[in-house]
Amino acid sequence: MASLLARRLLQLLPTVFCVSVLIFLLQQLLPGDPALVMAGEDRDPEVIAQIRRQYRLDQPLPIQYLFWIKGVLVGDLGESIRLKMPVSELVLQKLPVTLQLATMAIIIALVIGVTAGVISAVKRDSWVDYLVNVVSLWGISTPNFWLGIMLILFFSVQLGWLPASGYVSPFEDLGMSLKTTIMPAFVLGNALAGVLMRHTRAAMLQALDSDYVRTARAKGLFEQTVVIKHAMRNALTPVITLGALEFGTLLSGAVLTEQIFTIPGFGKLIVDAVFNRDYAVVQGVVLVTATTYILLNLLADIGYILVNPRLRQ
Amino acid sequence: MKHLARAAFAVFALTAGALSASAQTHLRIGLAEDPDVLDPSLARTYVGRIVFASICDKLFDIDEKLNVVPQLALSSETSDDGKQVLIKLRPGVKFHDGEAFDAEAAKFSLERHMNMQGSFRKPEVSSIEKVEVVDPLTIKLVLKAPFSPLIAQLTDRAGMMVSPKAAKEAGDKFGLKPVCAGPYKFVERVQQDRIVVEKFADYWNKANVFIDKITYLPVTDSTVRLANLRAGQLDLIERPLATDLKDMRADPKLKVATALELGYRSLNLNVGKGDASKVFADKRIREALSLAIDRKALNDVVFNGEFVPGNQWVSPKHPYYQESVPVPARDLARAKKLIAESGVSTPIAIDLMTPNNPETRQVAEILQAMTAEAGFDMKIRVTEFATSLNEAEAGRYQGYLIGWSGRTDPDGNIYTFAKTGQPNNYSAYSDPEVDAALDEARLKSSVPDRKAVYGKIVKKLTTEGGIIYLYHVQNIITYSARLEGFKPISDGLVRVVGLKFKS
């Protein structure tokens, strides 16, 4: 088991390396010159030339890459041109915010999605099933930005229950923190809830049709016991794994949601950085997100192996 | 017993009253973007200036009528040959770290703007040869050549004074914790979340500072910004949409203040850069395009008539506006005639580059429809900002919808756009007569003299120049009706001295 883990971890390195090269190259495809944007309205040619020198934008790409990756290896992600701050500091400041948001979103999605999925499978082809399906389709197809603005108009402007935007850390004030993040987390979790509902429903239907459920029923067990203890347990393992994998998607999905609710997380950081061509920030954030995603995949794999001994060979 | 209870109640009421009177007043301002670094020498964003207005005082300021008024300086005097400027400083001023503001500190700040690596103020103070200390409260600016816009430059970031001690210690990290001489001192900043400042006890004008603490919160979406104001999360917001003005005015809980901007919005034409400029080689085509546009209708349709149609680099309300060349009425017949005379066959295809925001896109569509009637065929190309700068630089455009936030002195609105080879002259417009006049206007000092110089070129620039001026934006500030003392000023910045909550 230990050697397997070590092997998987070693396989990570080339992946992260490829990702780093890809990030660097993709960014160069972005039209627009950071020096031009940074030079501001007046655009003095001398100032532009100086920015290019200072941030090595006048050097060939491989040299720029080497300087960057050399720093990354010792934990230095470079400096933001726009904010004059170390990127690693920005990342450390923003990552917990997005993690909190994504965690809340996934909990909301799992609770809503799994419950709805199980109910609709058990009540197959009844009006409840149809209703759940329609609602989940609505959830999947509602655009984040629209739902976000509607929620703000209703809960903040009309009712005045929740703050329309902003963010408070849970270490500062837990109640306020929940209040500021509940709407964005719901918006973020909404689409995922729809997806999870469909997967849960399909998995449950399969389980309910299987031999072991028939056997359980034949033994004369209560229907509730059959559904919860026998069918659900087996059906849910893949759904939960799917949820874990979707966590990575949530990190990137937070971009729009954070923009609407002015949550100072990864999403807002990267949007501002892209518009300002603040390369160091874009590279840093994407690298950290990609690495997190790869690690989550690894964890899911390991989880599978632990659950299913047959995969160990 | 009854008396006792009454007395106790009175004491309670008084204490409660005293407590609430002493409660900290807190103003929350919603910004349209997150500012960049808060160092007056390195900053370049417009929102950054809104934050600076509370922490960094300047040598001079502007008032509602665009007059230059004293702030940290008391007066300025320019020598007869225009090459020396004597500036008297305000006594008894302290920086937030307790250091005294004097001639040495002013010299330090100006030299920092002039020499610091990466300083964006260099072009603004490039006319200064050196700064001399005359006495503890007087400095002398020795200029390379007379430069009349200089004092106006000192009403903005180039005139902001920083504590020499703090600036030397922090170097290029000064912007992470700026130390200036404004009414509020910097407390903390969380990027993209908030900037907090609190009242500075030793401020020179502290009698007029009423609010204890200000938090600036960037809320990018204008609809959400307004929703926050309505929900009471914010007390004041900048730049809501012009189309929301009607609703905001109808809301008794809100107050709306507008001030006409210093700058302009325009359709810039490529008249001299690469193949794309060929279509505008004949200046009659440029004039025809301008004549095909109904500026009033444009303003009425897109901005509910709230903005001001314009045809020059300053608005019709500005002292430098040339009344002899008024905003032209649409003249389709003449536009068609000019095109016919030029011999160019219609439809004339034009690649129109437009930034990606709903209002500007609408402007582009209306221009497309209006100019089509004169024989133009505009193809709208929506382009993200950073990309559009590159395209303009490379000359890969024919028309470019863009704006300029404007400067107090008219020189800042025209020189770098119209003079041959200047950085903002994307159009690659070049005309010896215009170049000479633009330089001449910098040497004259009185308003009538300078206005006369600009008067010589205004006709040429507005009919056949590289820029078709379209309209001037109203800087809108909307705030809670509980707030009083707000004065709208054309630069759109929020001056916090004098602001207070109604008791």
Side-chain angles (χ1 to χ4, degrees):
Chain A
M1 187 65 202
S3 74
L4 178 85
L5 203 65
R7 210 164 61 231
R8 292 305 306 260
L9 277 172
L10 270 178
Q11 282 170 358
L12 266 186
L13 290 177
T15 320
V16 174
F17 170 74
C18 289
V19 165
S20 79
V21 175
L22 206 63
I23 291 167
F24 203 81
L25 290 179
L26 278 181
Q27 177 161 261
Q28 303 300 326
L29 289 180
L30 265 181
D33 175 352
L36 265 188
V37 185
M38 291 299 148
E41 275 193 325
D42 289 318
R43 259 164 245 128
D44 192 60
E46 194 192 317
V47 173
I48 294 176
Q50 194 209 310
I51 296 175
R52 291 206 177 111
R53 268 198 309 279
Q54 195 179 344
Y55 291 95
R56 295 204 186 84
L57 297 166
D58 52 352
Q59 306 267 349
L61 271 187
I63 305 274
Q64 286 188 42
Y65 176 78
L66 283 180
F67 270 107
W68 177 60
I69 203 75
K70 207 178 103 193
V72 170
L73 289 177
V74 292
D76 173 12
L77 294 173
E79 189 190 75
S80 155
I81 308 187
R82 180 178 149 88
L83 302 165
K84 304 266 171 233
M85 260 180 91
V87 175
S88 45
E89 204 174 300
L90 281 170
V91 166
L92 286 179
Q93 207 177 61
K94 309 293 175 195
L95 187 61
V97 179
T98 301
L99 284 181
Q100 183 193 347
L101 195 62
T103 311
M104 285 174 67
I106 204 107
I107 294 173
I108 292 175
L110 279 172
V111 170
I112 300 178
V114 170
T115 318
V118 170
I119 292 176
S120 96
V122 174
K123 309 264 177 197
R124 179 183 345 189
D125 295 333
S126 72
W127 65 270
V128 181
D129 185 22
Y130 295 135
L131 183 72
V132 170
N133 270 293
V134 169
V135 172
S136 88
L137 186 67
W138 181 82
I140 295 171
S141 29
T142 312
N144 273 2
F145 62 89
W146 183 83
L147 182 63
I149 289 179
M150 287 304 125
L151 288 180
I152 290 176
L153 285 179
F154 189 67
F155 288 104
S156 308
V157 181
Q158 286 289 324
L159 300 174
W161 290 354
L162 295 168
S165 66
Y167 171 77
V168 176
S169 153
F171 300 104
E172 214 173 293
D173 182 340
L174 187 63
M176 254 331 263
S177 183
L178 286 175
K179 273 187 169 180
T180 51
T181 42
I182 189 79
M183 278 199 292
F186 179 79
V187 168
L188 200 54
N190 175 57
L192 183 56
V195 176
L196 288 180
M197 176 265 153
R198 304 202 141 200
H199 279 274
T200 311
R201 182 175 180 272
M204 275 301 282
L205 285 180
Q206 212 183 358
L208 288 173
D209 281 344
S210 65
D211 293 343
Y212 62 83
V213 168
R214 202 175 325 125
T215 314
R217 283 199 179 119
K219 280 197 287 184
L221 292 176
F222 284 117
E223 184 62 16
Q224 233 170 334
T225 322
V226 174
V227 171
I228 295 174
K229 270 189 92 174
H230 294 257
M232 225 168 105
R233 249 193 172 174
N234 285 291
L236 283 194
T237 324
V239 172
I240 288 173
T241 321
L242 177 79
L245 279 179
E246 285 292 331
F247 195 79
T249 322
L250 285 184
L251 290 182
S252 47
V255 171
L256 257 182
T257 313
E258 287 181 5
Q259 199 72 6
I260 296 163
F261 290 95
T262 328
I263 302 284
F266 257 35
K268 256 198 92 51
L269 185 64
I270 199 162
V271 168
D272 284 7
V274 168
F275 279 129
N276 289 293
R277 302 295 189 267
D278 202 341
Y279 284 176
V281 177
V282 180
Q283 285 161 0
V285 174
V286 177
L287 187 69
V288 172
T289 315
T291 314
T292 316
Y293 200 91
I294 294 170
L295 280 174
L296 282 171
N297 264 299
L298 176 73
L299 286 179
D301 278 1
I302 293 172
Y304 261 143
I305 294 168
L306 288 180
V307 171
N308 193 341
R310 274 176 299 179
L311 288 170
R312 279 183 212 171
Q313 275 89 51
Chain B
M1 197 59 207
K2 227 180 195 176
H3 287 290
L4 194 67
R6 230 179 252 169
F9 180 75
V11 169
F12 172 76
L14 275 174
T15 343
L19 275 178
S20 69
S22 68
Q24 240 205 357
T25 43
H26 182 188
L27 175 68
R28 293 152 307 173
I29 298 181
L31 304 174
E33 293 143 44
D34 189 39
D36 58 341
V37 64
L38 292 175
D39 180 326
S41 296
L42 303 177
R44 42 170 203 92
T45 53
Y46 172 74
V47 275
R49 291 165 64 199
I50 299 182
V51 178
F52 279 130
S54 70
I55 50 183
C56 293
D57 268 11
K58 309 159 286 191
L59 288 176
F60 301 94
D61 198 5
I62 53 169
D63 67 8
E64 293 104 309
K65 297 198 177 71
L66 297 180
N67 297 312
V68 172
V69 292
Q71 198 167 44
L72 289 179
L74 290 176
S75 65
S76 74
E77 201 181 306
T78 308
S79 64
D80 291 340
D81 65 356
K83 290 183 73 172
Q84 289 184 3
V85 182
L86 211 59
I87 297 178
K88 290 261 179 222
L89 305 176
R90 185 180 293 280
V93 174
K94 278 207 164 74
F95 289 110
H96 300 151
D97 58 358
E99 296 284 301
F101 167 72
D102 56 13
E104 285 294 343
K107 176 178 153 77
F108 174 88
S109 288
L110 287 169
E111 285 177 347
R112 189 171 185 268
H113 291 315
M114 288 156 64
N115 306 323
M116 182 183 187
Q117 202 198 17
S119 165
F120 287 121
R121 304 287 86 77
K122 271 180 197 168
E124 292 161 24
V125 287
S126 62
S127 61
I128 303 175
E129 166 102 58
K130 59 179 173 179
V131 185
E132 287 172 4
V133 171
V134 178
D135 66 49
L137 286 173
T138 314
I139 52 167
K140 183 160 83 182
L141 311 180
V142 180
L143 310 189
K144 294 170 190 157
F147 185 67
S148 49
L150 181 65
I151 296 298
Q153 300 281 32
L154 300 180
T155 65
D156 197 354
R157 288 164 296 195
M160 286 178 192
M161 299 287 113
V162 301
S163 156
K165 185 169 160 244
K168 278 178 203 154
E169 278 168 14
D172 71 340
K173 299 278 176 267
F174 178 78
L176 300 181
K177 199 179 185 312
V179 181
C180 294
Y184 289 80
K185 58 181 181 186
F186 177 85
V187 177
E188 65 158 344
R189 171 172 196 185
V190 178
Q191 256 72 27
Q192 285 144 336
D193 185 30
R194 61 179 186 268
I195 295 170
V196 183
V197 300
E198 68 185 22
K199 196 158 125 182
F200 174 45
D202 282 333
Y203 184 55
W204 60 271
N205 188 15
K206 57 174 176 271
N208 289 312
V209 181
F210 307 106
I211 287 165
D212 301 303
K213 185 173 149 192
I214 304 174
T215 305
Y216 294 92
L217 299 135
V219 181
T220 331
D221 190 291
S222 27
T223 312
V224 176
R225 203 156 58 247
L226 180 59
N228 269 287
L229 179 68
R230 288 208 159 122
Q233 297 282 309
L234 294 172
D235 306 303
L236 183 150
I237 58 170
E238 57 128 355
R239 283 182 280 169
L241 293 177
T243 37
D244 285 332
L245 268 172
K246 218 172 121 199
D247 285 350
M248 294 189 293
R249 287 198 181 112
D251 189 333
K253 285 193 295 190
L254 301 182
K255 279 191 174 171
V256 180
T258 59
L260 196 60
E261 71 169 348
L262 295 169
Y264 57 81
R265 310 290 125 172
S266 58
L267 170 57
N268 292 25
L269 309 178
N270 180 355
V271 299
K273 225 178 224 178
D275 284 348
S277 69
K278 280 187 186 145
V279 64
F280 291 120
D282 191 319
K283 54 195 177 192
R284 282 172 295 195
I285 302 291
R286 303 176 214 165
E287 192 179 353
L289 187 60
S290 173
L291 286 170
I293 300 168
D294 185 338
R295 291 164 170 80
K296 190 181 170 300
L298 178 71
N299 176 41
D300 287 345
V301 173
V302 188
F303 306 109
N304 296 339
E306 298 281 355
F307 292 176
V308 173
N311 68 324
Q312 296 176 23
W313 53 95
V314 290
S315 82
K317 306 263 162 72
H318 194 278
Y320 276 90
Y321 186 79
Q322 307 277 347
E323 291 83 2
S324 61
V325 183
V327 177
R330 187 179 195 219
D331 191 341
L332 264 186
R334 190 168 147 68
K336 282 182 184 159
K337 195 168 150 255
L338 283 168
I339 294 172
E341 279 172 17
S342 74
V344 178
S345 57
T346 52
I348 304 169
I350 289 174
D351 163 48
L352 176 66
M353 191 160 68
T354 311
N356 191 10
N357 71 63
E359 284 183 341
T360 325
R361 276 205 310 266
Q362 228 177 318
V363 171
E365 281 158 16
I366 287 176
L367 291 182
Q368 184 182 43
M370 284 175 173
T371 57
E373 288 177 48
F376 291 94
D377 177 17
M378 284 189 169
K379 296 266 186 299
I380 299 173
R381 176 159 58 109
V382 176
T383 313
E384 177 257 353
F385 182 66
T387 312
S388 74
L389 283 180
N390 244 38
E391 295 286 288
E393 191 89 335
R396 281 191 296 266
Y397 80 103
Q398 288 173 317
Y400 183 16
L401 273 181
I402 191 171
W404 176 245
S405 69
R407 298 289 180 263
T408 315
D409 191 278
D411 178 85
N413 282 3
I414 186 67
Y415 193 89
T416 75
F417 294 90
K419 176 137 196 249
T420 309
Q422 282 289 309
N424 275 317
N425 190 349
Y426 291 134
S427 309
Y429 177 75
S430 176
D431 182 284
E433 193 198 346
V434 168
D435 287 355
L438 290 174
D439 280 328
E440 193 189 347
R442 286 186 156 187
L443 304 176
K444 306 255 181 208
S445 52
S446 81
V447 177
D449 284 357
R450 294 180 71 200
K451 198 170 167 180
V453 175
Y454 288 128
K456 291 192 286 189
I457 52 171
V458 65
K459 184 85 190 166
K460 185 176 238 170
L461 282 174
T462 51
T463 52
E464 58 188 64
I467 299 176
I468 296 178
Y469 300 94
L470 298 172
Y471 58 92
H472 305 274
V473 170
Q474 290 281 6
N475 283 316
I476 307 168
I477 302 275
T478 305
Y479 53 96
S480 153
R482 294 192 304 130
L483 204 62
E484 56 187 27
F486 180 78
K487 282 195 204 121
I489 294 186
S490 287
D491 55 16
L493 308 187
V494 181
R495 282 155 181 80
V496 289
V497 173
L499 269 187
K500 63 167 108 172
F501 284 106
K502 272 182 202 157
S503 42

